[in-house]
Amino acid sequence: MPLSLSILVLIIPLFMFFFLGLVGVKMGKKLTGVIGTVVMGVTLAICYGVAITYFFGTPLVNDVRQVVIPFNWDWLSFTKDLVVRMGVIIDPISAMMLIVVSTVSFLVHLFSLGYMSDEYGKPEKGFQRYYAFLQLFTFSMLGLVVSTNIFQMFIFFEMVGVSSYLLIGFYYTSPAAVHASKKAFIVTRLADMFFLLGIMVLSFFTGTFDFFTDSSHQV
């Protein structure tokens, strides 16, 4: 599988988030869950294909597997050298995490088909919204593990926090769920403030946000 197809592991969940969120309410609840699970299975297959291609198709240089960056677009330019890029990086850690994240996400999608049902076996109210949130969470996690720079990682880390807030507070009619979602969101924002401060300090001394420069190549 061409590593350039790795961009699909981000495009598909993001598209499904909007699709299920906007169109899902017009479809049957069970159908929404089945579609979400099947499409997540497609994403799972692509993640496995990318990882297998990388581990078995990428040559070793001095016994070290090369870092591959299929996509890396300039997004924000602070200075001539200090540029925030949005891209996809494939290295041993990210390739392995693609497998981990996609596998867990697919199992959650599959398990939720039965778990998110009432005592009569019917999908709960907001079933479509729940699966849309799952797709957003999957997109955020996959974007986090394939980030080419620390600023992109921060952006997707924040999106993971938002996704967690939405999923924790899914039962918005329950005061306990609303309180838990707010507590999780506020507490993590405090830690994120220091994360952003660390990014600023690191970029000041290194002059870049990127994880790899000379040791990486694009395909």
Side-chain angles (χ1 to χ4, degrees):
M1 174 181 290
L3 292 181
S4 58
L5 292 180
S6 58
I7 190 65
L8 293 179
V9 304
L10 300 180
I11 293 177
I12 293 175
L14 181 61
F15 170 78
M16 289 304 297
F17 164 66
F18 288 108
F19 178 77
L20 295 179
L22 298 175
V23 183
V25 293
K26 300 180 181 180
M27 300 187 300
K29 294 181 180 179
K30 204 68 176 182
L31 178 60
T32 302
V34 171
I35 292 176
T37 303
V38 170
V39 174
M40 186 59 231
V42 174
T43 305
L44 173 71
I46 296 175
C47 287
Y48 271 76
V50 169
I52 292 173
T53 300
Y54 176 75
F55 283 119
F56 296 98
T58 304
L60 295 174
V61 178
N62 297 325
D63 294 328
V64 176
R65 200 166 299 281
Q66 296 183 75
V67 175
V68 180
I69 303 179
F71 301 95
N72 207 21
W73 298 287
D74 291 353
W75 184 47
L76 291 176
S77 298
F78 294 99
T79 65
K80 181 179 179 181
D81 298 321
L82 195 59
V83 180
V84 178
R85 298 179 175 88
M86 302 295 286
V88 174
I89 190 171
I90 308 296
D91 62 0
I93 295 178
S94 63
M96 182 58 65
M97 288 306 298
L98 281 177
I99 293 177
V100 173
V101 172
S102 61
T103 300
V104 173
S105 182
F106 174 75
L107 292 177
V108 171
H109 277 72
L110 186 62
F111 180 76
S112 297
L113 285 174
Y115 182 78
M116 295 298 293
S117 302
D118 57 22
E119 61 271 21
Y120 304 106
K122 296 182 179 180
E124 295 191 19
K125 181 181 180 181
F127 194 74
Q128 300 95 326
R129 176 167 50 90
Y130 171 78
Y131 267 85
F133 291 164
L134 280 184
Q135 292 288 336
L136 179 63
F137 188 84
T138 302
F139 166 73
S140 304
M141 284 297 299
L142 291 174
L144 179 67
V145 302
V146 299
S147 296
T148 61
N149 59 83
I150 196 169
F151 206 98
Q152 181 184 349
M153 177 180 283
F154 175 77
I155 293 172
F156 278 98
F157 187 79
E158 291 299 298
M159 293 185 64
V160 170
V162 172
S163 304
S164 299
Y165 167 78
L166 294 173
L167 287 170
I168 294 172
F170 173 75
Y171 295 105
Y172 59 88
T173 56
S174 170
V178 173
H179 176 73
S181 63
K182 291 181 179 178
K183 181 178 179 181
F185 188 81
I186 294 173
V187 170
T188 53
R189 295 293 75 72
L190 178 63
D192 294 346
M193 179 181 67
F194 290 99
F195 186 9
L196 182 59
L197 179 62
I199 292 174
M200 296 171 62
V201 173
L202 180 65
S203 62
F204 176 79
F205 285 101
T206 62
T208 183
F209 294 117
D210 296 336
F211 292 136
F212 298 95
T213 53
D214 295 339
S215 59
S216 62
H217 69 281
Q218 297 188 1
V219 295

